[in-house]
Amino acid sequence: MKEVYLADYARSAFTRAHPRKPEVDAWADTRGDALLAAVIDAMLERGDLDGAAVEELSVGCALPVKEQWSFGGRYPLWLTERLGERGRGCASRQIDQQCGSGLAALRSTAREIQAGAIEVGIAGGFENMTRVPMGPALFKEGVLTSPDALRQAPWLELEIALNMGLTAERLAEEAGIERKAMDALALASHQRATAAEAEGRFVGERLTLANATGDTVARDANIRADTTPERLAGLDPVFLEGGRVTAGNSSPLTSGAAAALLMSEQALTRHGATPLARVMDLADCGVAPEQMGAGAAAAIRRVLARSGLAVADIDAWEINEAFAAVPLHTVEELALDPKRVNVWGGALALGHPLGATGIRLAGTLGRILQSRGGRYGCAAACIGGGQGIAVILERC
């Protein structure tokens, strides 16, 4: 197989989404596909890459319904200025693998390069969770449905599997993860993100873009520098009476978009690009639907086995903080060093725009490896419905 490289990565600012209060979301008037197009244009412009060189676009979106249906990835492609008309020969696809959609898009493009089918591709992802809210509202509208036969399946607790908060409760209960530990991780995530912001860590990945009303959006809106243990402890459980999962130790509803530019070694030379990292391997797997948060650890095990690496070889980890229980379970299950996990903060502080998150995980990981001088990094996410996905990068 050919080698594949992460040549560049960029994202929008991540904003706080609120379907009932759209005024709090700076992207409320901006379609997700249009936001992704703006990210792609800015990324290609700064690299001075001709859009005609891009051979395919893979788009991750966890809720590809209503306006987030993109005609197989054509809408964000056509909405760009640097691809648009020049990219008519560019193939595209839209991928739904729930919270792993962004990493699944990256995997799809990486596999095409590894197979020698293409040399330059873009993997992107977006979600506007104000304009297209999460599942419960869509189920009520009949936009999303579930088969009656699965409700009778003796091996499946569908009501749990369909509610991500309840799956987090189940994982925390069975793994013995206490509320105090979950709140402590949430506090650490906000503190790390606050420190990363102050140190300028997001400069170079986070773009300043204009929204549909012409206002510039430059900063992530979910980071709470003033979060305290007392505030987190005072929050009520959200999904289960007497439970452990609160709004504070869950990722907030978020809108945003992200894109990664992938190239073969030959393309790097041709275009004079300096890559962040080499994409070593990717893997996904299934786990019990009622414990979907366990998918991150399971996928990491699989990708490590495929790559011939051990936990001790990994210098940096990006594990999606969909819920605090997920990285806590992964750290305990795999005996990870917590000081190497989500060092610039995670989704509890930065937000989790479902389809864009996987791209952020991989892109941020590449930047962390460059910043800290590590050799290997691993990014992973759990996936609704009982899956996990992971990627290993090697610093160039």
Side-chain angles (χ1 to χ4, degrees):
M1 293 192 302
K2 290 192 173 184
E3 301 288 5
V4 56
Y5 294 87
L6 176 60
D8 201 1
Y9 150 67
R11 67 173 176 91
S12 71
F14 287 174
T15 57
R16 181 169 292 275
H18 201 310
R20 293 188 300 277
K21 296 180 181 178
E23 65 273 10
V24 307
D25 187 352
W27 297 127
D29 295 321
T30 305
R31 287 174 58 112
D33 48 16
L35 183 57
L36 176 58
V39 171
I40 290 171
D41 275 335
M43 181 179 68
L44 294 180
E45 182 177 4
R46 75 182 183 187
D48 194 26
L49 183 67
D50 189 333
V54 180
E55 298 165 83
E56 75 159 46
L57 169 66
S58 296
V59 179
C61 181
L63 292 168
V65 298
K66 295 189 171 182
E67 67 178 44
Q68 293 193 159
W69 179 78
S70 73
F71 205 17
R74 303 314 279 171
Y75 289 167
L77 174 69
W78 292 340
L79 286 166
T80 64
E81 294 180 2
R82 296 186 74 90
L83 295 178
E85 186 173 347
R86 298 206 69 188
R88 288 188 176 184
C90 181
S92 68
R93 65 188 61 86
Q94 184 164 10
I95 298 172
D96 161 22
Q97 200 172 356
Q98 295 298 284
C99 297
S101 298
L103 279 174
L106 189 146
R107 176 190 59 209
S108 178
T109 299
R111 292 287 188 246
E112 291 293 302
I113 294 174
Q114 288 173 330
I118 66 170
E119 292 195 356
V120 180
I122 292 175
F126 70 87
E127 213 82 36
N128 189 311
M129 300 178 75
T130 292
R131 298 172 70 88
V132 182
M134 285 189 71
L138 297 174
F139 274 101
K140 288 180 181 179
E141 293 179 44
V143 174
L144 302 181
T145 63
S146 59
D148 291 338
L150 288 181
R151 298 187 179 278
Q152 311 303 321
W155 55 270
L156 175 64
E157 296 178 76
L158 190 60
E159 295 302 323
I160 301 293
L162 288 173
N163 186 315
M164 299 303 98
L166 291 179
T167 67
E169 287 282 8
R170 179 68 60 86
L171 181 67
E173 178 185 0
E174 297 194 1
I177 301 170
E178 298 298 334
R179 160 77 183 270
K180 187 175 182 180
M182 294 159 69
D183 286 351
L185 179 66
L187 178 64
S189 185
H190 284 280
Q191 291 175 336
R192 289 171 179 172
T194 299
E197 184 74 84
E199 294 165 2
R201 300 298 185 185
F202 303 129
V203 175
E205 74 170 81
R206 186 182 59 204
L207 305 170
T208 298
L209 301 169
N211 62 17
T213 60
D215 298 323
T216 57
V217 185
R219 294 179 68 87
D220 298 316
N222 295 302
I223 303 172
R224 295 182 179 273
D226 59 351
T227 298
T228 65
E230 293 75 22
R231 287 184 180 179
L232 290 167
L235 297 173
D236 293 328
V238 176
F239 302 99
L240 184 67
E241 186 175 352
R244 311 173 196 194
V245 179
T246 71
N249 56 46
S250 306
S251 58
L253 298 180
T254 312
S255 298
L261 178 64
L262 302 179
M263 289 186 178
S264 68
E265 189 169 1
Q266 294 81 358
L268 289 175
T269 301
R270 185 181 312 120
H271 298 290
T274 302
L276 286 170
R278 179 172 72 95
V279 180
M280 285 190 63
D281 213 337
L282 299 102
D284 54 3
C285 63
V287 296
E290 302 88 349
Q291 283 187 298
M292 68 94 193
I300 288 171
R301 277 201 183 94
R302 179 168 291 188
V303 80
L304 286 174
R306 285 174 57 100
S307 63
L309 296 176
V311 165
D313 296 319
I314 304 301
D315 298 296
W317 303 88
E318 279 292 307
I319 301 172
N320 189 34
E321 296 173 351
F323 299 93
V326 176
L328 288 173
H329 169 267
T330 307
V331 166
E332 180 66 23
E333 187 77 4
L334 302 179
L336 308 185
D337 180 356
K339 294 180 181 178
R340 298 185 180 188
V341 179
N342 300 350
V343 297
W344 292 350
L348 293 170
L350 296 170
H352 179 20
L354 310 176
T357 288
I359 302 296
R360 185 199 69 78
L361 292 170
T364 297
L365 178 65
R367 289 172 52 79
I368 287 172
L369 289 175
Q370 288 288 338
S371 173
R372 295 164 68 94
R375 180 175 181 182
Y376 296 116
C378 181
C382 59
I383 298 173
Q387 296 188 77
I389 188 168
V391 61
I392 291 180
L393 302 181
E394 181 182 21
R395 180 174 63 88
C396 293

